[in-house]
Amino acid sequence: MIRAENIFKSFGDVDVLKGIDFLFERGKTNLIIGKSGAGKTVLLKILVGLFEPTDGHVWYDDIDFCTLNEKQVRDIRMKVGMLFQGNALFDSMTVAENIRFPLDMFTKMTLKEKNTRVDECLAQVSLDGSNNKYPSEISGGMQKRVGIARAIVLNPKYLFCDEPNSGLDPKTSITIDELISSITKEFDITTVINTHDMNSVMEIGENICLLHQGKLAWQGNKSEVLDSDNKTLHDFIFASPFLQRLKDRALNK
Amino acid sequence: MFYKETIRQMYDIGIGSLPIVAIISVFIGAVTAVQISYQLSDAFIPNYYIGYLVRDMMIIELAVTFTCLVLAGKAGSKMAAEIGGMRQKEHIDAMEIMGVNTSSYLVFPKIIAAVFCIPILVFISAIIGIFGGYMATILAGLFKESEYIKGLRAFFDPYNIVLLYVKAVVFSYILTTVSCYQGYFVKGGSIELGQASTRAVVYSDILILIADYVIAVVLTV
């Protein structure tokens, strides 16, 4: 599990996060949701250590991440996988080389063992046989899956996904969500997803953290969303007129 | 991985820069020889001094300074753009999260490659420049081949080769670190990336010229 404890973050005079407390549970898909500018990405980057909090602590199980030295941070990061919004695949490397990169950096496996592991990960994300393609030769959805394969190649304990569905069609988004959810269950890892995709919230939201103006506005799970009377949550979830009409129609019936 | 990356950088900096360095060197040598010949034509100075002066100017100053200024533009801007592009596409963040020491992985191989390859390039540049001087003066019939060769053999001080290597190592370190720094800490979008690339070249050039003066004062005065 990962625990955010009283996290504050300011950039100059702008306070982005104002005291976030949240427990990201192991074996569950934990979602950080909120409008653009609510502080989702900043919170995610604090959790992975790309930003330092102005105040507060991040706990990885019983380890205070904010007090670790550089080497200890690196040791923790070996247990972390991350899927970036823009995938962050290395353009000059093939799909297989991208996935193999962490193995090349951190393991003493033979090339054959590494390639076997790459094939396993590619099979996991249903991309068998794409080893020799370059990121520019595959679709956005496939790039996301390659990003996931790279994130899980070292068997991480913690998986972070920054807007995994951005730029994808609804059907591909569902596939990616299901993939992340199944990996979370299969390997019993702590998954933190930063999203504003409503399908994701309602399909895989097992532990949801709603941010609003830098504060925790609501927490719960997907089955509690419709029953909640939290105005901020409803304003966010049913922001689109289409969803609002569907909700009204459902309530009228 | 570090070894592979270092080899890739060596190829980029060394082999990749050889054609431009060769072209520049041959013309610098040629122009230097022709102009010295013009300046000394009416003086009571033997012709072989032209070969001697071209050789020492190429070894002590022209080869190393011109090569490194050109490489700051060619290799330095490429380094800044490459690392800056990786920063903007979140590649560096991705590596950080994997636990990779990015400054070491991205910058160190470039420094090693530059400090190893650029002195070799500079030495080749000096030889090509001297050959350029030979071509420009002998083939143009300004004086005899034997006089130029005699000049090349006259008053040779091996310490000048030490100067060449000291300057080459210092300049290559400057151009690599300045360029990588500009790329590594780039913020914003493509305009800022272009500005960082330009700054890499300008700052490297200025620092190389200052270092050139300092080394000259410290090692030769």
Side-chain angles (χ1 to χ4, degrees):
Chain A
M1 60 92 183
I2 298 171
R3 188 155 58 90
E5 182 187 316
N6 200 28
I7 299 286
F8 285 83
K9 180 66 182 174
S10 307
F11 294 98
D13 296 335
V14 183
D15 297 328
V16 179
L17 297 177
K18 303 164 189 169
I20 304 291
D21 280 296
F22 197 79
L23 182 69
F24 299 93
E25 295 171 47
R26 184 173 166 185
K28 288 187 177 178
T29 44
N30 302 275
L31 268 57
I32 304 171
I33 60 172
K35 291 177 185 169
S36 297
K40 303 188 297 292
T41 300
V42 173
L43 178 58
L44 195 77
K45 287 193 171 181
I46 287 173
L47 294 179
V48 295
L50 288 176
F51 287 160
E52 276 186 28
T54 310
D55 197 11
H57 297 270
V58 175
W59 295 85
Y60 277 67
D61 295 320
D62 54 352
I63 299 167
D64 185 352
F65 189 66
C66 299
T67 60
L68 301 180
N69 64 33
E70 210 170 306
K71 190 189 170 299
Q72 290 167 322
V73 166
R74 223 165 272 146
D75 290 343
I76 289 274
R77 280 179 170 165
M78 302 261 298
K79 299 172 191 164
V80 169
M82 180 150 180
L83 173 64
F84 282 82
Q85 187 174 358
N87 305 318
L89 298 177
F90 308 127
D91 316 314
S92 58
M93 295 182 187
T94 62
V95 163
E97 286 167 343
N98 263 287
I99 299 169
R100 208 174 59 209
F101 183 81
L103 299 174
D104 288 337
M105 294 300 295
F106 301 114
T107 69
K108 291 184 175 162
M109 295 164 83
T110 63
L111 185 63
K112 195 177 170 194
E113 288 168 337
K114 287 178 200 168
N115 287 337
T116 305
R117 178 68 187 136
V118 168
D119 289 340
E120 283 169 12
C121 290
L122 279 171
Q124 193 106 40
V125 297
S126 311
L127 276 180
D128 318 60
S130 301
N131 304 45
N132 296 322
K133 289 181 177 161
Y134 282 89
S136 59
E137 295 171 342
I138 57 178
S139 69
M142 289 165 86
Q143 287 181 15
K144 289 279 182 203
R145 283 190 270 167
V146 174
I148 293 171
R150 187 177 66 181
I152 62 171
V153 73
L154 285 176
N155 293 318
K157 280 179 75 180
Y158 314 97
L159 179 64
F160 295 89
C161 306
D162 188 10
E163 311 234 356
N165 301 326
S166 69
L168 299 181
D169 64 87
K171 199 170 177 184
T172 311
S173 294
I174 291 166
T175 311
I176 296 292
D177 282 345
E178 285 170 351
L179 183 59
I180 294 170
S181 182
S182 69
I183 287 168
T184 305
K185 295 281 172 288
E186 190 177 340
F187 299 105
D188 192 29
I189 57 181
T190 307
T191 299
V192 181
I193 303 170
N194 169 11
T195 186
H196 48 226
D197 185 276
M198 284 313 103
N199 279 330
S200 303
V201 174
M202 301 312 287
E203 292 298 324
I204 60 167
E206 293 175 300
N207 187 25
I208 303 167
C209 158
L210 170 67
L211 296 186
H212 182 65
Q213 294 179 344
K215 289 182 178 170
L216 180 64
W218 182 83
Q219 61 183 28
N221 61 48
K222 60 184 178 183
S223 58
E224 293 167 347
V225 167
L226 291 175
D227 298 332
S228 168
D229 56 0
N230 185 298
K231 187 175 179 317
T232 310
L233 177 70
H234 280 255
D235 285 350
F236 175 69
I237 298 284
F238 302 106
S240 94
F242 173 69
L243 286 175
Q244 188 65 51
R245 279 201 298 277
L246 278 183
K247 181 192 163 197
D248 292 344
R249 188 173 291 181
L251 288 176
N252 289 336
K253 276 184 182 175
Chain B
M1 286 298 279
F2 286 86
Y3 173 77
K4 270 174 73 179
E5 180 62 12
T6 307
I7 296 295
R8 188 177 77 82
Q9 292 297 333
M10 280 183 177
Y11 184 85
D12 266 10
I13 296 169
I15 307 292
S17 305
L18 193 54
I20 184 75
V21 167
I23 290 167
I24 287 167
S25 304
V26 77
F27 281 101
I28 290 171
V31 171
T32 305
V34 170
Q35 295 204 334
I36 291 174
S37 166
Y38 165 71
Q39 295 236 292
L40 301 183
S41 59
D42 291 333
F44 292 104
I45 296 173
N47 277 341
Y48 76 86
Y49 262 63
I50 294 165
Y52 155 62
L53 288 172
V54 169
R55 182 200 69 204
D56 274 8
M57 284 179 73
M58 286 306 300
I59 291 175
I60 297 172
E61 181 60 27
L62 295 179
V64 64
T65 309
F66 270 87
T67 301
C68 290
L69 291 177
V70 167
L71 288 179
K74 186 188 174 290
S77 62
K78 182 173 178 286
M79 286 177 203
E82 186 181 310
I83 295 179
M86 293 182 81
R87 167 68 71 196
Q88 291 180 335
K89 287 178 173 177
E90 297 182 310
H91 291 176
I92 293 181
D93 286 348
M95 286 185 190
E96 289 276 351
I97 286 164
M98 284 175 206
V100 178
N101 181 341
T102 52
S103 52
S104 166
Y105 176 72
L106 294 173
V107 179
F108 196 59
K110 290 181 173 61
I111 294 176
I112 296 290
V115 168
F116 181 78
C117 288
I118 291 178
I120 296 172
L121 272 180
V122 166
F123 188 75
I124 293 170
S125 162
I127 292 171
I128 293 174
I130 292 167
F131 180 69
Y134 170 86
M135 293 230 299
T137 50
I138 305 305
L139 299 183
L142 296 178
F143 51 88
K144 288 185 215 159
E145 179 183 350
S146 59
E147 289 174 319
Y148 192 81
I149 302 291
K150 185 182 175 186
L152 292 184
R153 289 176 171 174
F155 316 118
F156 178 69
D157 184 355
Y159 181 67
N160 291 343
I161 301 290
V162 175
L163 268 179
L164 175 141
Y165 279 116
V166 169
K167 284 187 178 183
V169 168
V170 172
F171 295 175
S172 50
Y173 182 78
I174 288 172
L175 80 87
T176 317
T177 48
V178 169
S179 304
C180 291
Y181 178 88
Q182 292 297 332
Y184 196 83
F185 291 102
V186 73
K187 285 184 176 134
S190 53
I191 291 176
E192 286 77 8
L193 183 57
Q195 288 169 343
S197 203
T198 306
R199 272 198 308 275
V201 178
V202 173
Y203 293 172
S204 297
D205 283 354
I206 292 169
L207 287 173
I208 283 170
L209 293 171
I210 293 170
D212 191 23
Y213 173 74
V214 172
I215 291 170
V217 169
V218 172
L219 296 184
T220 60
V221 174

